[in-house]
């Protein structure tokens, strides 16, 4: 039997099934990413979830799995579902650290930390966000060339976080 994705006969072996499933996950990921790029986050969410379900089954230990976890977490963040992103962000960080061989420093790890920092900021957890932003910027500076756009984003969001934290303290003082 042939599949539309491969146009080649596929054996019923687990290797053949895994190959077809991973090809399907690539298609799903591309489709969900296209929807997200257009701002259609709600439509992209179930497709990202389906992609993650496939990769959970067939891509353990592969960067494709982490890619799906990060994408679904971003989807929650883009839709303002900050609390729902927590477990995915924690999982993504653990997966990225494992991919780095436990080294604990890479741009990919720093990106997940940036998302965690942003999530804390959006949840008004300014003190925790501030600490996470500082760790994120330090890791980015240590692992990336100067001028990397993510460094700038993290610094800008840290500045917003600091301003929000100051306004919160000012409001408490006035109350």
């Amino acid at each position: 039997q042939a599949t539309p994705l491969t146009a080649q006969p596929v054996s019923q072996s687990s290797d053949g099934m895994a190959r077809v499933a991973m090809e399907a996950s690539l298609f799903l990921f591309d489709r969900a990413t296209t929807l997200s790029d257009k701002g259609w986050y709600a439509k992209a969410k179930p497709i990202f979830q389906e992609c993650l379900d496939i990769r959970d089954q067939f891509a353990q230990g592969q960067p494709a799995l982490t890619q799906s976890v990060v994408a679904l977490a971003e989807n929650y963040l883009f839709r303002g579902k900050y609390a729902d992103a927590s477990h995915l962000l924690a999982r993504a960080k653990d997966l990225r650290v494992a991919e780095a061989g436990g080294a604990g420093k890479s741009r990919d790890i720093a990106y997940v930390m940036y998302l965690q920092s942003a999530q804390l900021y959006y949840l008004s957890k300014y003190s925790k966000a501030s600490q996470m932003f500082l760790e994120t910027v330090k890791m980015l500076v240590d692992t990336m060339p100067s001028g990397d756009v993510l460094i700038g984003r993290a610094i800008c969001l840290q500045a917003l976080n600091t301003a929000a934290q100051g306004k919160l303290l000012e409001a408490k003082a006035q109350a």
Side-chain angles (χ1 to χ4, degrees):
Q1 74 205 103
T3 67
L5 293 174
T6 61
Q8 298 174 3
V10 175
S11 71
Q12 293 300 320
S13 73
S14 62
D15 288 346
M17 297 294 282
R19 184 172 49 82
V20 171
M22 287 304 293
E23 287 179 17
S25 80
L26 288 171
F27 171 79
L28 291 169
F29 190 85
D30 286 346
R31 179 68 180 139
T33 300
T34 299
L35 291 170
S36 282
D37 289 347
K38 293 180 179 182
W40 297 340
Y41 306 118
K43 289 182 179 184
K45 190 265 179 191
I47 301 170
F48 276 131
Q49 183 63 61
E50 186 174 355
C51 178
L52 177 57
D53 292 344
I54 290 169
R55 290 177 177 184
D56 264 334
Q57 188 173 355
F58 294 103
Q60 288 296 317
Q62 297 179 25
L65 174 61
T66 312
Q67 177 189 45
S68 293
V69 174
V70 170
L72 187 56
E74 287 174 321
N75 181 273
Y76 280 118
L77 293 174
F78 293 149
R79 292 184 303 123
K81 307 233 181 235
Y82 308 119
D84 294 337
S86 290
H87 74 282
L88 291 166
L89 291 171
R91 181 178 178 200
K93 186 175 178 188
D94 290 344
L95 290 168
R96 288 293 188 211
V97 169
E99 288 170 6
K105 279 191 176 185
S106 76
R107 184 183 194 281
D108 291 334
I109 295 168
Y111 181 70
V112 173
M113 290 172 61
Y114 166 78
L115 294 175
Q116 289 175 314
S117 304
Q119 176 208 27
L120 291 168
Y121 167 74
Y122 293 126
L123 289 170
S124 301
K125 296 182 179 181
Y126 303 123
S127 180
K128 287 182 181 180
S130 183
Q131 180 181 353
M132 179 75 71
F133 277 123
L134 292 175
E135 292 172 23
T136 300
V137 170
K138 182 175 179 354
M139 186 179 297
L140 285 168
V141 168
D142 289 349
T143 61
M144 295 305 300
S146 63
D148 184 85
V149 68
L150 191 54
I151 296 171
R153 284 165 143 181
I155 291 170
C156 287
L157 208 51
Q158 169 62 10
L160 289 173
N161 184 67
T162 301
Q165 199 171 10
K167 288 180 182 178
L168 180 66
L169 293 174
E170 184 180 307
K172 284 183 179 180
Q174 291 175 356

